[in-house]
Amino acid sequence: MPQLDKLKPLNGLAAQNGNSNGVQLATNVFAQRHYISRERRTHKLGKNQNFKGCTVWFTGLSGAGKTSIAFELESILVSRGLTAYGLDGDNVRSGLNKNLGFSKEDREENIRRVAEVAKLFADSGTITLCSFVSPFAEDRLMARRIHERAGLPFFEIHVDTPLNICEQRDVKGLYKKARAGSIKAFTGIDQEYEKPENPDLSVKTDCSIDESVGQVLKLLENNGIIPKQETLGHHVLELFVPENRLIAAYKEIELLPALEITHLDLQWLQVLSEGWAAPLTGFMRKRQYLQALHFNELAEGINQSITIVLPVSTSDKERLEKSSAFVLYHEQKPYAIMREPEFFAHRKDERVCRQWGTNHPNHPYIKMVLESGDWLVGGDLEVLRRITWNDGLDKYRLTPNELKKRFRELKADAVFAFQLRNPIHNGHALLMQDTHRRLLERGFKNPVLLLHPLGGWTKDDDVPLRVRIQQHQALLEDNVLPKSTVLAIFPSPMSYAGPTEVQWHAKARMVAGSNYYIVGRDPAGIPHPDIEKCPGQDLYDPTDGGIVLTMAPGLEDLEILPFKVAAYNKERQKMDYFDPAKKEAFEFISGTKMRTLARNGQKPPDGFMAPKAWQVLSDYYQSLQNGKAD
């Protein structure tokens, strides 16, 4: 097949219906309408119901930073569940446009082709990010009009980096060649760059990449292309009985049958009552249970990856199934009224296999499921009182609405959450400080860290909540963490369900006002319960949780921040981001080694953990050794 740039006129018709080069143009061409609308396409294939397709056109000198900004923006948009794709000048010229040079005519054709491709991408619902020098104003105007004729949004972004800065960068060595005369017609040297007179946004060179990306994100939010981050003013539905009805409710419970619930059930009751699992209004009914179990959703766009259910015995089911309401008691104290209860079979193998991917009885939470009642009961709850534990930690147990109020008081313009169930070392602190810095660079004035340790049931060998809170508080007192940090307890029990559970952790923080979420390595993971067949193996791939969060339904308004691996840098004597090229300089201090040092009263290497925080851990592990831990 002949190359495009070598095609010759075919006959006299070519001269009549040809371009200036005599190449025959297509005639008798009719645009074909798609069978589905743009809106329907994105509704069915995307995660956001509103149409989001557009083109963002980055223009500027070579080396200005167009591609760096576009590719970082692409990464952020995809992490929010939005379809985005970057079209880079070099990539396009190495394929679609490899037959074009850099004459004015070829530059125009280059931009025309790219604009047409970008239009098709945008029409499919993709946020298309084009990084092209595109030095001529008339070519950029042509690209805009191609989109306007198709009814598609087009945004021109001028990456306004001065020539001398671009020459200093000269990553590709092109300016040096142009100055030497080996590259002709190079924009900025011997070919003019026509600066945009009225771009939709101008990004200055004194901005970092994160700050530049933040400006573009704000532009897209303001134009309705992407959803705005949830505001802290949104009130979360709680399930508490209003104060003016409490007396009537307590009188009613004297006439209702009772159901005793477990300590674990009470923790889930707290989760429901405070609104963490909104919009659930009680323990799951069958349809809600099946939708969460099979689709990780309560409704389209509302993530609920774990089932929140109340198991009951056969005898309790037979005793209560004809009641229109009954009271939930724990240790003879009434906590809630369940209305219009619905009983259904507790198919335990189906539940555990779908939620955990295994039904091995050595898994600690699965063991509790298998030993629980053969029936589930769901229904709306009216909770009589705020659930407290009187363990000295209730002041840290802030509800989603209380957290939002706290963030407003701090004048937070971004909230980033870090969930953990283990003690914090300086590698974690490095990640939190680095995230705070990056958000400032994006243009936020006061990003607040939600340090949110899990406070419900955990397996026996995990560090107790009381010790973890003491250790976290010691870090705050030593100024190891960002100053604008809110330490609070997340009341959920730990299911150890890997990538399935990590969605729940993220969704709950989003309910509380977080719009950024740091996902750790092996979130909600656990060693494989079959020790004989799978010795030393994890049940879940440690990286899958982070990947799943970028695809999970209903989390589009939460930007997922990947966990960077940190290790002890022996040369710098501090925790540092691991560099594979210098792996001999790094030491990974395992949990086993850390516990051994703590039990023996030894100190870790300087810079691994703040001294006061280490002392809390050391005291705890030595108390275990001496049999004094409570």
Side-chain angles (χ1 to χ4, degrees):
M1 183 176 179
Q3 294 183 7
L4 289 175
D5 55 349
K6 295 182 179 179
L7 290 176
K8 303 298 182 184
L10 299 178
N11 49 38
L13 184 63
Q16 182 180 350
N17 296 315
N19 64 11
S20 59
N21 295 323
V23 178
Q24 184 176 1
L25 300 179
T27 58
N28 300 316
V29 174
F30 303 92
Q32 302 296 307
R33 287 186 176 275
H34 289 274
Y35 291 170
I36 62 172
S37 66
R38 293 169 181 166
E39 292 74 13
R40 185 175 171 220
R41 184 193 307 277
T42 53
H43 176 78
K44 293 297 183 184
L45 300 182
K47 294 183 178 179
N48 291 278
Q49 296 184 18
N50 297 324
F51 178 73
K52 304 293 180 185
C54 73
T55 290
V56 182
W57 193 280
F58 294 92
T59 177
L61 294 171
S62 177
K66 302 180 298 297
T67 298
S68 297
I69 295 170
F71 282 5
E72 178 66 17
L73 178 61
E74 177 187 32
S75 175
I76 289 172
L77 291 171
V78 170
S79 76
R80 291 189 185 182
L82 297 162
T83 305
Y85 192 81
L87 293 173
D88 170 71
D90 286 352
N91 292 348
V92 171
R93 279 188 174 273
S94 66
L96 176 67
N97 291 349
K98 66 180 180 180
N99 63 314
L100 297 177
F102 290 89
S103 66
K104 190 175 189 308
E105 294 75 15
D106 278 3
R107 283 182 180 271
E108 178 183 352
E109 176 61 12
N110 180 53
I111 297 306
R112 187 195 68 80
R113 292 184 192 177
V114 171
E116 292 287 357
V117 170
K119 179 190 75 172
L120 296 176
F121 273 51
D123 186 51
S124 75
T126 299
I127 300 173
T128 315
L129 311 170
C130 299
S131 310
F132 292 83
V133 173
S134 43
F136 304 124
E138 62 180 348
D139 295 346
R140 299 192 298 267
L141 180 60
M142 171 186 63
R144 181 185 291 274
R145 285 176 174 167
I146 285 172
H147 286 74
E148 288 176 346
R149 285 195 295 268
L152 292 164
F154 181 94
F155 303 98
E156 183 182 41
I157 313 294
H158 180 208
V159 184
D160 190 7
T161 306
L163 176 62
N164 65 311
I165 301 296
C166 294
E167 281 203 73
Q168 288 174 19
R169 294 173 179 172
D170 202 15
V171 178
K172 303 172 185 176
L174 300 179
Y175 284 99
K176 185 177 181 180
K177 292 180 181 179
R179 292 291 187 189
S182 57
I183 299 179
K184 303 296 183 183
F186 189 78
T187 303
I189 303 299
D190 53 358
Q191 187 172 64
E192 182 185 4
Y193 175 77
E194 299 175 358
K195 293 180 66 170
E197 293 183 3
N198 294 295
D200 295 283
L201 178 67
S202 182
V203 176
K204 302 296 184 181
T205 187
D206 55 356
C207 294
S208 69
I209 290 177
D210 281 340
E211 288 173 318
S212 301
V213 168
Q215 293 179 43
V216 182
L217 286 170
K218 186 65 66 177
L219 174 72
L220 296 178
E221 287 180 356
N222 291 340
N223 283 275
I225 301 299
I226 63 176
K228 292 186 177 182
Q229 302 283 10
E230 182 181 331
T231 66
L232 295 176
H234 177 68
H235 186 79
V236 177
L237 176 66
E238 297 177 341
L239 307 184
F240 300 113
V241 175
E243 193 168 343
N244 62 0
R245 287 189 48 232
L246 266 178
I247 295 176
Y250 273 102
K251 287 182 178 179
E252 183 185 7
I253 66 174
E254 296 176 2
L255 306 174
L256 295 175
L259 175 67
E260 182 72 16
I261 62 175
T262 68
H263 187 85
L264 181 68
D265 298 332
L266 186 63
Q267 291 181 351
W268 283 120
L269 180 62
Q270 179 179 6
V271 167
L272 291 166
S273 67
E274 294 177 357
W276 296 98
L280 278 179
T281 56
F283 286 104
M284 288 178 172
R285 298 177 183 275
K286 185 170 185 178
R287 287 186 65 86
Q288 295 169 326
Y289 168 77
L290 290 175
Q291 190 161 19
L293 190 65
H294 290 270
F295 301 104
N296 288 0
E297 290 182 311
L298 284 176
E300 186 171 356
I302 301 177
N303 188 283
Q304 186 61 51
S305 61
I306 64 165
T307 57
I308 301 180
V309 294
L310 182 59
V312 296
S313 66
T314 300
S315 59
D316 281 331
K317 180 254 186 186
E318 292 174 348
R319 180 173 59 86
L320 298 170
E321 62 183 339
K322 294 182 180 179
S323 302
S324 61
F326 54 80
V327 184
L328 303 183
Y329 282 80
H330 178 65
E331 295 181 348
Q332 300 182 339
K333 293 180 182 178
Y335 279 93
I337 300 171
M338 180 179 283
R339 303 280 186 192
E340 302 300 328
E342 177 186 354
F343 292 87
F344 53 101
H346 189 185
R347 301 187 183 279
K348 300 174 186 177
D349 279 339
E350 179 190 19
R351 177 186 171 194
V352 299
C353 287
R354 291 202 68 89
Q355 185 164 316
W356 284 272
T358 179
N359 62 354
H360 201 286
N362 286 349
H363 185 292
Y365 203 104
I366 291 176
K367 183 175 185 292
M368 293 192 294
V369 172
L370 297 178
E371 292 173 353
S372 66
D374 292 334
W375 297 89
L376 299 175
V377 59
D380 294 340
L381 291 172
E382 296 177 8
V383 183
L384 300 168
R385 65 166 72 90
R386 178 84 173 263
I387 295 170
T388 56
W389 303 93
N390 302 315
D391 55 359
L393 302 178
D394 284 328
K395 65 180 180 179
Y396 294 102
R397 294 186 174 95
L398 303 181
T399 68
N401 286 322
E402 289 172 338
L403 283 170
K404 287 188 173 189
K405 180 181 178 183
R406 181 73 178 122
F407 299 146
R408 289 195 299 271
E409 292 170 348
L410 291 171
K411 295 180 169 53
D413 54 358
V415 178
F416 62 108
F418 188 71
Q419 198 249 212
L420 63 165
R421 69 174 196 270
N422 293 310
I424 297 173
H425 57 60
N426 285 356
H428 299 128
L430 172 66
L431 179 59
M432 288 181 260
Q433 291 280 16
D434 189 48
T435 300
H436 184 264
R437 176 190 60 78
R438 291 186 64 190
L439 291 174
L440 288 173
E441 289 179 351
R442 286 195 191 180
F444 293 105
K445 303 300 182 185
N446 188 29
V448 171
L449 166 64
L450 172 58
L451 185 61
H452 215 200
L454 184 136
W457 174 89
T458 58
K459 54 190 175 67
D460 292 341
D461 58 351
D462 280 352
V463 178
L465 177 63
R466 172 188 56 79
V467 178
R468 286 184 278 132
I469 291 293
Q470 289 175 359
Q471 196 257 358
H472 301 345
Q473 193 62 55
L475 290 169
L476 288 170
E477 292 169 1
D478 280 351
N479 298 314
V480 175
L481 301 176
K483 290 183 179 179
S484 53
T485 295
V486 174
L487 173 60
I489 292 172
F490 177 42
S492 175
M494 187 74 193
S495 298
Y496 303 95
T500 298
E501 185 177 12
V502 75
Q503 297 173 62
W504 158 242
H505 293 168
K507 175 257 178 81
R509 276 34 178 260
M510 188 172 69
V511 168
S514 297
N515 33 37
Y516 297 88
Y517 185 76
I518 302 173
V519 57
R521 182 186 179 277
D522 196 21
I526 193 172
H528 200 291
D530 195 332
I531 300 174
E532 293 183 3
K533 291 185 177 179
C534 305
Q537 294 184 27
D538 292 326
L539 181 57
Y540 311 105
D541 186 299
T543 64
D544 283 358
I547 297 171
V548 166
L549 281 182
T550 66
M551 304 181 286
L555 301 180
E556 295 81 19
D557 291 347
L558 188 71
E559 183 177 330
I560 306 305
L561 302 173
F563 185 85
K564 294 182 180 179
V565 177
Y568 186 74
N569 189 322
K570 293 179 287 187
E571 294 177 353
R572 302 180 67 188
Q573 294 188 325
K574 59 185 288 189
M575 294 297 287
D576 201 359
Y577 291 134
F578 178 66
D579 183 356
K582 300 178 180 179
K583 60 182 180 181
E584 65 282 350
F586 288 87
E587 178 185 359
F588 285 93
I589 299 176
S590 67
T592 301
K593 182 174 181 178
M594 183 184 73
R595 288 188 290 271
T596 301
L597 290 171
R599 286 192 189 100
N600 295 336
Q602 297 174 289
K603 294 183 178 180
D606 290 341
F608 171 74
M609 186 181 292
K612 285 173 64 176
W614 176 258
Q615 191 61 51
V616 171
L617 275 187
S618 181
D619 290 347
Y620 166 67
Y621 279 111
Q622 288 184 64
S623 71
L624 283 181
Q625 193 127 307
N626 298 328
K628 296 180 180 179
D630 54 16

